[in-house]
């Protein structure tokens, strides 16, 4: 492994080592993506002593000592502590660039000289503990890493120094550090992925639904980033936020505010604004060598499963169950809901935290959903297990045999997020079929049936029904009744069964009674008598679904 | 109503049987939509004028339909409306509509604000809001078909839709009569 280092330009290598840049960051700065990276000693002082004979041989003792003295001098003057002595005492233990993130053994202040075996590192065990505690079952995973913005600033500061010192030798040229070095996150993933794969017997997959998040934080962040407040132009955004908050909150919360910023927009903000400072001016803003570190980054972990989707169609045989829980002034309307009856069962199967219910449209509480059923999609949040299709089918069967249960499910299966669009489209565009029991103020005649069934693609104008006008805007919507057909109800003279197929979004009850003439034409106006709707059922939602 | 349970018979058959109600369960006449979805309230002698009777039908969602009661002097004993004019006050009531979900541009009218002018061949009568609230809609049909007031005043011949605040409604409700009180007060038969 040491060979990699022996092939690097000796002067900057020695310089970096003596300044306390960890071996992994050194390789990053030389743009080396080496798969053996995991197995090298990270600590710069250890590595320096191992490499010293080689460095002496290549560049001569005199030049090496010169570099060492210069570095010592800078660091001593900086720390105002004139106790030069051996390099191992002045050389920082924590990498000045990655703040210890790539020195996996530094976590929890556990330090081992031998950190070549990353599998035993506290980072790996910490992450594994989190995953075990949450109890997810998975065969692939993805890492989501969040690092302090400070690491970008320090990378930039180091790059500025290297550029000024070595660009004449053809090294570290170019203004944009991000394009020249291996990103910290990439190196960290590199270190963690293989050991985790082996330990968890799962494969790393950027598209995996199982996400393991690592949050790195550093206490120096807010203090060291404060220089950004003073910058003008593109940096004013952060400055404004910082200042306006400073004015009316206590000092303690300012730190917290900045820490919050660190995880979100400010990270990309810092990355964007750093190139706006010319390389040779950067040290005016941020000191070189950078401030001494007393502690490495702290790390917290979290793991979760991305939303999973289960689709199917539901039928509702009750006129007392709504699609979603319906609360009016904390009082429940209806005895249960389709959403809860299906959702709670599926939730248990996935051992999930929660679910959201989406359906292709909805029917009123007093309307049954019959026929081929209405497509729905359950969005399952943070599932611990992903059941097999046969397990889903079992749940479907168990839902359907509950005695006295008014909700049935068909075709329960795993679905992709793309089904969402299919369903939204179904809600807005697909035809719906209904069966309505209609009463007329006079006996029903064959002429009525002929009249209604002769109307094809009937255009109607529907003003927002009074019953929903409190929450929807007042509009006149054109709608189409594609066809109607009528059946006698044996034993009744003034009632008949009206089958009709309409465009999505048509209010059927209003089409029958007219809603004070606000839906026109309507059954009342078409048959020239009073008409009322006794009951309504949805008998078909005409769409292909999963 | 839940008489028909999903059976184990073939789906087609069970669907058929579900859709057909048992005739003995059907009422002779179902409650009309205007009765089962609204509570009925009446204001008699509005603004102290004899027989200026109006109704306020309140939906469960709080919206109120305003219109002429059957005993209003233009309808009783002889319906004699020949015109309706919404050009009252500073702005035509037709223009005064609130728009959007949030009811932007909403005009709050007082309970004694005028909604429209109803004309007969020799007189006119002012119709009032009866409740304080946002005017959502006036029935523009009445401009072209004023006779709707003569024969269907309680449905297609409604005058306006108002949205009172809950607290304003509670106040207004106290001043209004229930249907039973109205019938008793005007000495009507029950089917009025």
């Amino acid at each position: 492994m040491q060979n990699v280092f022996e092939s690097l330009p000796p002067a900057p290598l020695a310089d970096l080592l003596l300044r306390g840049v960890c071996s992994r960051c050194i390789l990053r700065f030389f743009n080396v993506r080496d798969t053996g990276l995991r197995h090298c000693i990270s600590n710069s002082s250890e590595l320096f002593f191992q490499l010293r004979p080689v460095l002496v041989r290549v560049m001569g003792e005199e030049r090496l000592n010169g570099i060492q003295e210069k570095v010592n001098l800078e660091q001593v003057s900086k720390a105002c502590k004139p106790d030069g002595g051996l390099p191992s005492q002045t050389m920082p233990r924590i990498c000045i660039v990655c703040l210890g993130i790539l020195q996996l053994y530094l976590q929890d202040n556990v330090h081992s000289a031998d950190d070549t075996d990353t599998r035993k590192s506290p980072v790996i065990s910490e992450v594994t503990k989190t995953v075990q505690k949450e109890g997810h079952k998975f065969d692939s995973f993805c890492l989501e890493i969040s690092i302090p913005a400070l690491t970008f600033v320090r990378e930039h500061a180091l790059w500025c120094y290297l550029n000024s010192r070595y660009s004449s030798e053809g090294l570290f040229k170019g203004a944009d550090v991000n394009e020249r070095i291996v990103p910290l996150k990439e190196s960290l993933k590199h270190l963690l992925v293989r050991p985790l794969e082996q330990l968890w017997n799962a494969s790393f997959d950027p598209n995996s639904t199982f996400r393991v998040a690592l949050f790195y934080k550093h206490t120096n962040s807010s203090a060291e980033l404060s220089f950004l407040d003073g910058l003008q132009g593109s940096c004013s955004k952060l400055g404004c936020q910082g200042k306006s908050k400073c004015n009316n909150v206590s000092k303690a919360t300012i730190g917290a505010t900045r820490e919050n910023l660190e995880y979100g927009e400010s990270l990309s903000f810092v990355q964007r604004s750093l190139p706006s400072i010319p390389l040779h001016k950067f040290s005016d803003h941020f000191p070189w060598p950078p401030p001494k570190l007393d502690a490495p980054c702290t790390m917290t972990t979290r793991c979760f499963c991305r939303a999973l989707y289960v689709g199917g169609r539901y039928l509702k045989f009750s006129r007392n169950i709504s699609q979603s829980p319906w609360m009016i002034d904390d009082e429940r309307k209806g005895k249960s809901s389709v959403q809860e009856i299906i959702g709670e069962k599926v939730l248990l199967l996935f051992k999930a935290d929660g679910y959201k219910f989406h359906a292709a449209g909805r029917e009123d509480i007093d309307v049954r959903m019959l026929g081929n059923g209405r497509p729905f999609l359950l969005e399952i949040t943070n599932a611990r297990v992903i059941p097999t299709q046969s397990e889903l089918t079992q749940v479907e069967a168990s839902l359907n045999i509950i005695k006295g249960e008014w909700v049935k499910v068909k075709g329960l299966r795993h679905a992709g997020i793309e089904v969402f669009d299919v369903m939204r489209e179904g809600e807005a565009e697909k035809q719906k079929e209904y069966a309505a029991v209609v009463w007329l103020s006079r006996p029903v005649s064959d002429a009525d049936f002929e009249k209604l069934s002769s109307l094809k693609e009937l255009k109607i104008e529907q003003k927002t029904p009074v019953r929903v006008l409190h929450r929807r805007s007042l509009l006149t919507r054109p709608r189409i009744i594609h066809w109607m057909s009528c059946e006698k109800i044996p034993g009744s003279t003034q009632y008949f069964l009206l089958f009709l197929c309409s465009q999505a979004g048509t209010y059927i009850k209003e089409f029958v009674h007219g809603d004070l003439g606000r839906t026109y034409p309507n059954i009342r106006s078409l048959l020239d008598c009073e008409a009322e709707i006794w009951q309504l059922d949805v008998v078909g939602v005409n769409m292909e679904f999963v | 109503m839940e008489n028909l349970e999903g059976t184990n018979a073939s789906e087609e058959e069970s669907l058929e049987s579900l859709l057909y109600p048992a005739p003995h369960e059907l009422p002779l006449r179902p409650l009309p939509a205007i009765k089962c979805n609204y509570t009925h309230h009446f204001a008699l002698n509005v603004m102290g004028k004899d027989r200026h009777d109006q109704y306020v039908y309140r939906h469960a969602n709080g919206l109120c339909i305003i219109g002429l009661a059957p005993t209003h002097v233009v309808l009783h004993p002889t319906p004699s409306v020949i015109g309706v004019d919404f050009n009252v006050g500073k702005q035509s009531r037709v223009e005064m509509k609130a728009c959007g979900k949030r009811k932007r541009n909403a005009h709050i009218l007082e309970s004694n604000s005028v909604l429209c002018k109803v004309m007969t061949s020799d007189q006119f009568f002012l119709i009032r809001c009866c409740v304080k609230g946002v005017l959502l809609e006036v029935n523009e049909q009445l401009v072209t078909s004023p006779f709707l007031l003569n024969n269907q005043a309680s449905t297609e011949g409604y005058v306006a839709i108002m949205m009172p605040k809950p607290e304003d409604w509670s106040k207004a409700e106290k001043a209004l009569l229930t249907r039973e009180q109205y019938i008793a007060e005007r000495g009507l038969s029950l089917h009025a």
Side-chain angles (χ1 to χ4, degrees):
Chain A
M1 183 58 227
Q2 261 48 327
N3 295 341
V4 177
F5 292 98
E6 285 168 24
S7 64
L8 297 174
L13 172 62
D15 197 345
L16 288 165
L17 284 170
L18 288 163
R19 286 179 189 281
V21 179
C22 74
S23 63
R24 286 155 193 163
C25 282
I26 290 176
L27 292 177
R28 292 201 299 125
F29 271 76
F30 283 108
N31 212 3
V32 176
R33 287 179 164 83
D34 196 296
T35 47
L37 191 70
R38 273 203 312 285
H39 301 294
C40 74
I41 294 167
S42 75
N43 187 294
S44 54
S45 58
E46 307 272 348
L47 190 60
F48 178 74
F49 281 109
Q50 284 190 15
L51 289 175
R52 200 169 189 280
V54 184
L55 292 169
V56 169
R57 193 179 69 229
V58 182
M59 59 201 291
E61 186 134 21
E62 204 171 308
R63 192 162 169 223
L64 184 60
N65 283 342
I67 294 172
Q68 195 168 334
E69 247 166 59
K70 181 171 174 285
V71 172
N72 274 348
L73 206 72
E74 278 179 16
Q75 257 149 23
V76 168
S77 75
K78 177 95 182 123
C80 302
K81 246 190 271 164
D83 63 338
L86 286 166
S88 59
Q89 285 171 329
T90 49
M91 279 161 66
R93 189 166 65 85
I94 303 159
C95 174
I96 60 165
V97 182
C98 70
L99 315 174
I101 290 172
L102 295 179
Q103 296 166 291
L104 302 182
Y105 270 92
L106 278 177
Q107 291 306 314
D108 298 331
N109 281 326
V110 178
H111 177 60
S112 162
D114 175 27
D115 62 352
T116 53
D117 186 358
T118 53
R119 275 173 305 177
K120 293 183 192 135
S121 87
V123 178
I124 300 278
S125 58
E126 185 69 33
V127 177
T128 305
K129 227 194 291 169
T130 305
V131 170
Q132 281 168 348
K133 200 174 124 222
E134 285 292 314
H136 290 84
K137 300 265 177 296
F138 57 96
D139 48 26
S140 70
F141 64 96
C142 177
L143 296 178
E144 290 181 3
I145 294 166
S146 158
I147 53 176
L150 182 55
T151 58
F152 295 112
V153 175
R154 282 174 166 251
E155 271 173 8
H156 201 77
L158 178 59
W159 185 261
C160 291
Y161 165 73
L162 293 171
N163 178 271
S164 69
R165 178 74 182 73
Y166 297 102
S167 61
S168 56
E169 296 168 36
L171 297 165
F172 308 109
K173 287 170 93 167
D176 191 359
V177 60
N178 296 319
E179 288 171 8
R180 310 277 163 168
I181 68 170
V182 180
L184 177 53
K185 280 188 193 180
E186 185 187 318
S187 296
L188 182 58
K189 276 188 187 169
H190 208 131
L191 286 170
L192 297 175
V193 162
R194 281 292 295 284
L196 289 178
E197 281 184 330
Q198 283 168 8
L199 196 62
W200 295 346
N201 192 25
S203 59
F204 174 81
D205 174 6
N207 297 320
S208 175
T209 52
F210 183 58
R211 322 294 288 184
V212 178
L214 284 74
F215 302 97
Y216 284 93
K217 257 183 166 179
H218 201 277
T219 47
N220 283 27
S221 260
S222 38
E224 289 189 31
L225 288 177
S226 61
F227 77 95
L228 288 168
D229 281 350
L231 294 180
Q232 291 169 347
S234 64
C235 305
S236 60
K237 194 179 148 210
L238 186 71
C240 288
Q241 284 178 353
K243 267 169 212 149
S244 65
K245 279 180 179 126
C246 288
N247 288 339
N248 42 29
V249 292
S250 70
K251 253 211 146 95
T253 53
I254 295 167
T257 308
R258 197 169 287 288
E259 268 170 24
N260 292 340
L261 277 176
E262 211 176 286
Y263 288 116
E265 58 201 53
S266 84
L267 199 92
S268 59
F269 166 76
V270 167
Q271 253 181 315
R272 264 184 292 117
S273 53
L274 288 179
S276 69
I277 309 166
L279 287 186
H280 63 280
K281 293 265 188 189
F282 192 71
S283 59
D284 298 348
H285 301 284
F286 191 77
W288 181 262
K292 209 166 167 286
L293 298 166
D294 295 323
C297 279
T298 54
M299 184 199 65
T300 50
T301 58
R302 201 164 72 85
C303 64
F304 60 97
C305 182
R306 272 193 186 165
L308 299 176
Y309 298 90
V310 170
R313 302 179 89 112
Y314 76 81
L315 290 92
K316 185 181 78 126
F317 297 94
S318 165
R319 299 189 191 279
N320 198 20
I321 290 174
S322 51
Q323 189 191 70
S324 53
W326 188 19
M327 308 294 277
I328 293 176
D329 302 330
D330 293 333
E331 207 174 303
R332 193 187 184 94
K333 284 278 212 174
K335 55 183 176 188
S336 185
S337 68
V338 176
Q339 171 183 322
E340 289 161 294
I341 291 167
I342 302 173
E344 297 299 333
K345 272 266 183 181
V346 175
L347 183 74
L348 286 177
L349 183 64
F350 281 81
K351 297 187 168 59
D353 285 354
Y355 63 88
K356 281 183 199 151
F357 186 86
H358 310 275
R362 66 206 68 78
E363 63 282 328
D364 292 341
I365 187 167
D366 61 348
V367 173
R368 294 178 300 184
M369 180 66 237
L370 309 172
N372 59 357
R374 189 186 290 279
F376 69 88
L377 201 58
L378 275 172
E379 182 182 337
I380 292 148
T381 47
N382 201 9
R384 302 301 193 286
V385 284
I386 302 175
T388 61
Q389 180 56 48
S390 77
E391 285 174 302
L392 280 175
T393 310
Q394 272 173 31
V395 160
E396 177 184 321
S398 73
L399 271 165
N400 291 343
I401 58 160
I402 301 175
K403 203 100 181 102
E405 192 54 272
W406 299 96
V407 172
K408 307 274 181 238
V409 181
K410 282 162 59 168
L412 200 64
R413 70 195 70 183
H414 287 288
I417 190 162
E418 68 281 355
V419 178
F420 235 107
D421 300 329
V422 177
M423 216 176 50
R424 285 279 159 270
E425 192 187 317
E427 177 174 10
E429 289 165 28
K430 293 297 192 286
Q431 301 182 355
K432 313 286 162 70
E433 285 176 42
Y434 298 88
V437 175
V438 176
W439 173 89
L440 300 182
S441 55
R442 53 169 173 72
V444 181
S445 70
D446 289 343
D448 295 331
F449 286 9
E450 277 162 32
K451 165 94 206 238
L452 293 181
S453 55
S454 71
L455 297 165
K456 304 290 176 209
E457 307 298 319
L458 172 70
K459 292 192 176 73
I460 64 166
E461 302 256 293
Q462 195 154 51
K463 277 192 190 151
T464 308
V466 178
R467 69 185 159 107
V468 296
L469 188 56
H470 61 299
R471 57 181 167 81
R472 296 197 68 180
S473 47
L474 175 62
L475 284 173
T476 303
R477 298 178 179 87
R479 291 287 184 251
I480 292 170
I481 308 291
H482 300 290
W483 51 258
M484 288 183 268
S485 73
C486 310
E487 294 287 340
K488 287 199 159 82
I489 293 172
S492 167
T493 53
Q494 282 178 263
Y495 286 92
F496 71 99
L497 198 55
L498 171 69
F499 291 94
L500 64 91
C501 176
S502 71
Q503 184 186 354
T506 312
Y507 290 96
I508 304 303
K509 289 174 181 172
E510 279 70 15
F511 173 65
V512 174
H513 63 62
D515 194 29
L516 307 171
R518 300 170 77 260
T519 291
Y520 190 88
N522 53 59
I523 296 292
R524 211 177 266 226
S525 71
L526 291 169
L527 299 182
D528 198 24
C529 65
E530 283 175 52
E532 300 292 346
I533 183 157
W534 171 245
Q535 66 176 38
L536 180 65
D537 295 310
V538 185
V539 294
V541 176
N542 297 341
M543 65 179 282
E544 297 284 318
F545 184 67
V546 288
Chain B
M1 271 201 278
E2 286 171 6
N3 55 323
L4 300 154
E5 195 167 354
T7 59
N8 292 330
S10 86
E11 265 182 35
E12 287 293 310
E13 250 175 71
S14 64
L15 177 60
E16 281 287 285
S17 66
L18 277 173
L19 297 179
Y20 286 87
H24 66 271
E25 291 191 335
L26 295 171
L28 196 57
R29 180 192 171 136
L31 212 51
I34 195 67
K35 285 208 175 139
C36 59
N37 299 331
Y38 300 85
T39 55
H40 293 196
H41 306 266
F42 294 86
L44 303 192
N45 307 328
V46 174
M47 299 294 281
K49 296 194 172 134
D50 188 40
R51 295 270 165 175
H52 281 51
D53 296 354
Q54 291 186 229
Y55 68 75
V56 176
Y57 294 164
R58 184 170 186 269
H59 194 274
N61 65 18
L63 301 195
C64 292
I65 313 291
I66 315 294
L68 270 58
T71 51
H72 193 284
V73 69
V74 295
L75 303 179
H76 188 80
T78 321
S80 48
V81 177
I82 62 159
V84 174
D85 189 358
F86 286 105
N87 285 304
V88 289
K90 279 179 215 141
Q91 196 182 359
S92 162
R93 300 312 189 208
V94 178
E95 310 294 316
M96 243 192 187
K97 274 183 280 192
C99 46
K101 240 181 180 172
R102 305 253 163 263
K103 319 300 178 202
R104 287 181 307 274
N105 198 20
H107 285 73
I108 295 175
L109 296 180
E110 297 296 326
S111 63
N112 62 359
S113 300
V114 177
L115 280 173
C116 68
K117 208 153 59 169
V118 169
M119 275 92 68
T120 66
S121 54
D122 54 356
Q123 295 181 71
F124 71 84
F125 303 87
L126 298 177
I127 309 303
R128 315 260 172 185
C129 292
C130 301
V131 287
K132 179 185 173 183
V134 172
L135 180 65
L136 291 186
E137 177 184 314
V138 296
N139 187 1
E140 289 173 60
Q141 286 289 110
L142 297 180
V143 178
T144 47
S145 313
F147 55 84
L148 284 173
L149 276 173
N150 292 335
N151 46 29
Q152 300 182 71
S154 72
T155 54
E156 270 87 334
Y158 75 100
V159 172
I161 303 177
M162 310 264 307
M163 182 168 69
K165 283 187 189 159
E167 56 267 32
D168 288 331
W169 169 251
S170 321
K171 261 184 252 164
E173 192 183 10
K174 289 191 189 105
L176 298 170
L177 301 185
T178 64
R179 176 165 279 274
E180 290 68 33
Q181 289 168 329
Y182 167 66
I183 286 166
E185 189 75 19
R186 285 291 180 234
L188 302 167
S189 63
L190 267 176
H191 68 269

